[in-house]
Amino acid sequence: MHKFFPEGGQAMLLKYAQEIARSIAEIIGYNVIITDTEGVVIGASDTKRAGSLHEQSLDVIKTNRGASVNERDAQKYRGTLPGVTYPIHSMTGNVVGSVAITGNPADVNPFALIVKKQIEILLRERELQEYAAGKEETLKNLIHDISSYIPGVTDKRMLLARAKEFGFDPSARYIPVAIDLYQFARYARKIRDTYREDNTHGPEVLIQRTKAAILNIIRSAFPDKSDLSTMTGNNKYVVLHSAADDISQNEETGTYRACRKILEGLSAMDLNAAIGIGSAALNLFELHNSCNEAWRALQLGKKFSQGPGIFNIHEYRVEELLSTLKPEQRNRFIHRHVAPFKRYRDWPDLQQTYICWCEHNFSLVNSARALHIHRNTLYYRLEKIQKTGCINLKDYRETMKYYIAFKLEKVIVPGVREEEDFFDQDS
């Protein structure tokens, strides 16, 4: 049996036999029993028969052919009542048990083949579902092991062998992409409030289907057979993108286009996400580091942008470095440069204006456009910042000091937020 699904058809039948026997009996109006390959009843609409021997099933399983017995002949077999018995086959074609319908053979025989086929279809669906779930779990573990790779500790050959089974190309350049759903806990609560627990599909089923649909959106955005993607839990997903020569990582590359496609797909579902992009990696060790970069880019992007979007680690190298500062050292630096401005009621506007001006290459036109304010308003604010802090805005080093301080203060001392955090951790 395939390694992703070790249980096989017999285990599937044992798992669902009682449920199947009861539901079929309710539909056709006759008692139904299901046995294993030893003829032992593992599912019965008449639960008193569970665990007993249905001897005729042994002949049916042995010959792989259906059979019927009338009231007189049924007495020759232990635990057997008049009716019809057929073998049950798994998706691989093996006999995994039998199904018997109790009643006059002439009356129940029309149902027998239909019931047999329905059971086999149901078993095949359940096998495929569990096979897919097992494969998905294996893929999740694989990507976790790749991102946790430690040279000299992790068995590299074994890890690569596992990865190749999923299409991983050791000679390719890979770019990790980390995805964190935006306010999904709020979305899940909305579903729970909308659907009652006794709903046919139930809110939890709908939530899981939504998560599966999101994974399909991600995989359609990264469709190459060498791309690996999975859901990692806590409303997070990760992609190992086989990027070929996509190393520039500007906003016109295939990686960015795929990320935008994901955001478009989520938007159609009234959802959003933060997406972090790591640097390109040529081997397992680089890929391990790059996976960490993707998650750091995502976290830094969430902090400094305070909203969803696409965040490349190459755009956050300064913020990455600043995040390593000791808290006391960082707080002294922030206070020294920010304190004079905090007495102004329009401090948040001054802060945002200065940051925007620096990030738009000190262009008055582009900064005013980005802030949706008049150039004169922008000029007034910069003048106020310059006088209050005694800053020479033509001195790059001095300008950068205040940019870093303003930027850090915005993250370390965030303004009033919504009741929930921007990125909920619970589903």
Side-chain angles (χ1 to χ4, degrees):
M1 181 56 62
H2 198 287
K3 64 181 178 178
F4 294 133
F5 180 58
E7 289 188 316
Q10 292 186 44
M12 282 290 98
L13 188 61
L14 178 61
K15 198 178 215 179
Y16 299 108
Q18 183 56 44
E19 175 189 340
I20 293 170
R22 184 180 64 251
S23 60
I24 289 177
E26 289 175 356
I27 294 171
I28 66 175
Y30 292 96
N31 280 330
V32 175
I33 65 166
I34 296 174
T35 78
D36 61 15
T37 52
E38 302 297 320
V40 176
V41 177
I42 55 176
S45 53
D46 179 2
T47 55
K48 291 182 289 186
R49 299 188 67 182
S52 63
L53 176 68
H54 185 261
E55 193 172 12
Q56 192 196 22
S57 291
L58 296 175
D59 289 345
V60 169
I61 291 167
K62 183 178 179 180
T63 62
N64 196 16
R65 295 172 60 185
S68 61
V69 290
N70 55 32
E71 191 168 349
R72 184 186 61 187
D73 292 337
Q75 297 176 10
K76 301 176 184 177
Y77 299 96
R78 280 185 296 168
T80 303
L81 298 174
V84 179
T85 306
Y86 274 92
I88 299 172
H89 298 91
S90 69
M91 61 185 295
T92 59
N94 297 323
V95 177
V96 294
S98 71
V99 56
I101 303 177
T102 303
N104 186 317
D107 295 332
V108 299
N109 195 53
F111 298 108
L113 284 175
I114 296 174
V115 168
K116 163 186 161 65
K117 288 297 180 184
Q118 283 298 110
I119 293 174
E120 290 172 348
I121 289 171
L122 179 60
L123 282 181
R124 182 166 67 248
E125 289 177 350
R126 296 292 172 90
E127 284 187 74
L128 289 173
Q129 287 173 3
E130 298 214 2
Y131 166 81
K135 186 175 181 180
E136 200 65 54
E137 186 65 25
T138 302
L139 175 58
K140 183 195 299 186
N141 292 336
L142 169 66
I143 292 179
H144 174 269
D145 291 346
I146 289 175
S147 64
S148 306
Y149 174 77
I150 303 175
V153 177
T154 306
D155 188 330
K156 180 179 178 180
R157 290 179 60 186
M158 180 65 72
L159 184 57
L160 284 175
R162 290 167 54 203
K164 286 178 182 178
E165 292 186 8
F166 284 93
F168 183 83
D169 182 359
S171 65
R173 187 185 302 270
Y174 274 86
I175 296 176
V177 176
I179 302 162
D180 188 2
L181 297 181
Y182 181 78
Q183 294 184 342
F184 191 79
R186 178 177 296 176
Y187 177 86
R189 277 202 299 274
K190 183 178 178 181
I191 290 179
R192 293 186 182 106
D193 291 341
T194 303
Y195 294 90
R196 299 191 306 273
E197 287 293 340
D198 61 350
N199 184 276
T200 303
H201 297 297
E204 301 309 320
V205 173
L206 291 174
I207 290 168
Q208 292 306 314
R209 285 182 178 175
T210 300
K211 291 181 178 182
I214 292 168
L215 184 56
N216 288 334
I217 289 172
I218 293 169
R219 286 175 174 168
S220 67
F222 291 98
D224 191 274
K225 63 181 181 181
S226 298
D227 292 339
L228 278 64
S229 53
T230 190
M231 180 168 58
T232 63
N234 287 331
N235 313 320
K236 294 177 175 63
Y237 300 77
V238 64
V239 180
L240 301 183
H241 172 43
S242 176
D245 296 326
D246 184 8
I247 59 173
S248 62
Q249 295 205 359
N250 60 51
E251 294 192 9
E252 300 306 316
T253 63
T255 306
Y256 264 90
R257 286 195 297 272
C259 290
R260 286 196 292 269
K261 185 176 179 181
I262 291 171
L263 293 181
E264 289 169 3
L266 291 175
S267 177
M269 301 173 65
D270 291 327
L271 291 170
N272 215 328
I275 301 178
I277 302 175
S279 54
L282 284 172
N283 54 55
L284 284 177
F285 179 67
E286 289 184 4
L287 188 53
H288 155 72
N289 291 330
S290 188
C291 285
N292 292 333
E293 285 182 339
W295 289 110
R296 280 205 302 276
L298 189 150
Q299 294 298 327
L300 290 168
K302 284 162 55 176
K303 282 186 176 180
F304 285 91
S305 296
Q306 296 190 351
I310 302 171
F311 311 113
N312 193 319
I313 190 62
H314 295 305
E315 299 170 357
Y316 285 88
R317 291 301 187 190
V318 173
E319 289 86 348
E320 183 183 24
L321 183 63
L322 293 175
S323 67
T324 64
L325 292 174
K326 293 180 179 179
E328 61 272 18
Q329 183 181 11
R330 177 193 62 209
N331 293 339
R332 281 198 305 270
F333 176 80
I334 294 172
H335 179 75
R336 187 180 302 121
H337 293 86
V338 168
F341 301 93
K342 301 280 286 214
R343 69 176 186 268
Y344 294 118
R345 294 179 62 184
D346 63 346
W347 153 241
D349 292 333
L350 297 176
Q351 181 185 36
Q352 184 61 27
T353 297
Y354 189 78
I355 291 172
C356 183
W357 177 66
C358 291
E359 292 180 349
H360 284 80
N361 300 315
F362 315 108
S363 167
L364 293 174
V365 174
N366 293 337
S367 301
R369 184 181 297 120
L371 291 166
H372 305 291
I373 59 176
H374 194 275
R375 280 181 60 185
N376 289 344
T377 303
L378 176 65
Y379 186 77
Y380 163 77
R381 290 178 183 176
L382 291 176
E383 280 263 305
K384 189 173 183 178
I385 291 169
Q386 182 173 258
K387 290 179 181 178
T388 302
C390 299
I391 308 170
N392 180 3
L393 296 183
K394 295 182 179 179
D395 185 328
Y396 177 76
R397 286 172 58 86
E398 192 171 352
T399 301
M400 280 304 297
K401 280 194 303 182
Y402 281 88
Y403 168 75
I404 291 171
F406 282 23
K407 191 90 168 177
L408 277 175
E409 197 277 345
K410 189 174 182 180
V411 177
I412 304 306
V413 188
V416 178
R417 296 187 177 187
E418 297 177 65
E419 181 181 345
E420 294 177 292
D421 192 8
F422 279 88
F423 287 79
D424 299 296
Q425 296 301 311
D426 301 322
S427 61

